[in-house]
């Protein structure tokens, strides 16, 4: 019922705590919005997994972790 009424994905299981669906987009706990095409694109990039893609993925993850540590305004 929570999933349908307030779009809180924690009703699925605890791994989804903080995730929500708002206006047709998946919202991460840190406020990033993901559209279906972004999710599919990200998954496709992970599936390709070429060497330079692995390096780029590592750089993206490092950057995301640094951004997460920034103070919110």
């Amino acid at each position: 019922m929570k999933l349908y009424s307030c779009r809180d994905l924690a009703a699925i299981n605890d791994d989804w705590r903080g995730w929500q669906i708002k206006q047709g987009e998946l919202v991460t706990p840190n406020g990033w919005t993901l559209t279906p095409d972004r999710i599919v694109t990200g998954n496709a990039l992970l599936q390709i997994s070429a060497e330079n893609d692995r390096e780029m993925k590592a750089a993206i993850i490092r950057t995301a972790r640094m951004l997460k540590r920034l103070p919110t305004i």
Side-chain angles (χ1 to χ4, degrees), residues 30 67-73:
N30 59 1
L67 290 171
K68 185 177 181 182
R69 287 189 290 249
L70 288 176
T72 57
I73 297 173

Side-chain angles (χ1 to χ4, degrees), residues 3-39:
L3 177 60
Y4 293 107
S5 63
C6 65
R7 312 266 194 225
D8 181 11
L9 298 182
I12 296 172
N13 70 36
D14 284 341
D15 291 338
W16 288 100
R17 186 166 309 285
W19 292 74
Q20 297 178 341
I21 297 176
K22 289 184 181 175
Q23 299 175 347
E25 296 181 338
L26 182 62
V27 182
T28 67
N30 59 1
W32 294 1
T33 57
L34 301 171
T35 58
D37 60 322
R38 283 183 164 199
I39 295 169

